[in-house]
Amino acid sequence: MDIICISSQVAYGPDGNSAAVPALEHAGFTVFQVPTTVLSNHPGHCPPAATDISAETLEKTLEILEQQNWLDHCGAVMTGYFRDQNQIDVAAHAIRSLKRRN
């Protein structure tokens, strides 16, 4: 089974996709990493450098994965940190779309 993992991505530290993806892959899953933001580190360590992913980019990323049929064996979506409500709406739409396909 494949999994979409929608969450933050950090360069340093085991947070978000940076923590979840290696564990899921070790368990034998194929994981589609879809970041909601890219951070140098968790904000609890020090103020991070950050690049926010717009809801439009998030939506386009998920659309391309679906259009290319790469999500044909996707049976789960794991979510984590979202920067704003628009990203949540995009993720919810993707989850509903996957449910209709399966």
Side-chain angles (χ1 to χ4, degrees), residues 13-26:
D15 297 298
N17 282 344
S18 301
V21 172
L24 292 168
E25 288 177 337
H26 182 74

Side-chain angles (χ1 to χ4, degrees), residues 29-58:
F29 296 102
T30 298
V31 183
F32 296 92
Q33 300 180 56
V34 181
T36 56
T37 187
V38 179
L39 304 162
S40 59
N41 54 273
H42 185 282
H45 296 291
C46 66
T51 299
D52 293 338
I53 307 300
S54 70
E56 293 78 20
T57 298
L58 185 66

Side-chain angles (χ1 to χ4, degrees), residues 1-101:
M1 175 176 61
D2 298 345
I3 298 173
I4 301 171
C5 195
I6 306 171
S7 188
S8 61
Q9 184 102 18
V10 296
Y12 172 78
D15 297 298
N17 282 344
S18 301
V21 172
L24 292 168
E25 288 177 337
H26 182 74
F29 296 102
T30 298
V31 183
F32 296 92
Q33 300 180 56
V34 181
T36 56
T37 187
V38 179
L39 304 162
S40 59
N41 54 273
H42 185 282
H45 296 291
C46 66
T51 299
D52 293 338
I53 307 300
S54 70
E56 293 78 20
T57 298
L58 185 66
E59 182 173 41
K60 187 66 175 172
T61 299
L62 292 166
E63 285 175 0
I64 289 170
L65 293 174
E66 187 171 358
Q67 289 168 358
Q68 296 300 313
N69 299 316
W70 293 328
L71 302 180
D72 285 353
H73 302 287
C74 187
V77 177
M78 182 175 158
T79 63
Y81 180 75
F82 291 102
R83 294 291 294 173
D84 61 47
Q85 179 65 43
N86 294 328
Q87 287 182 330
I88 295 169
D89 295 340
V90 168
H93 176 75
I95 292 167
R96 285 190 299 272
S97 178
L98 279 175
K99 283 180 73 173
R100 284 192 293 273
R101 290 178 65 167

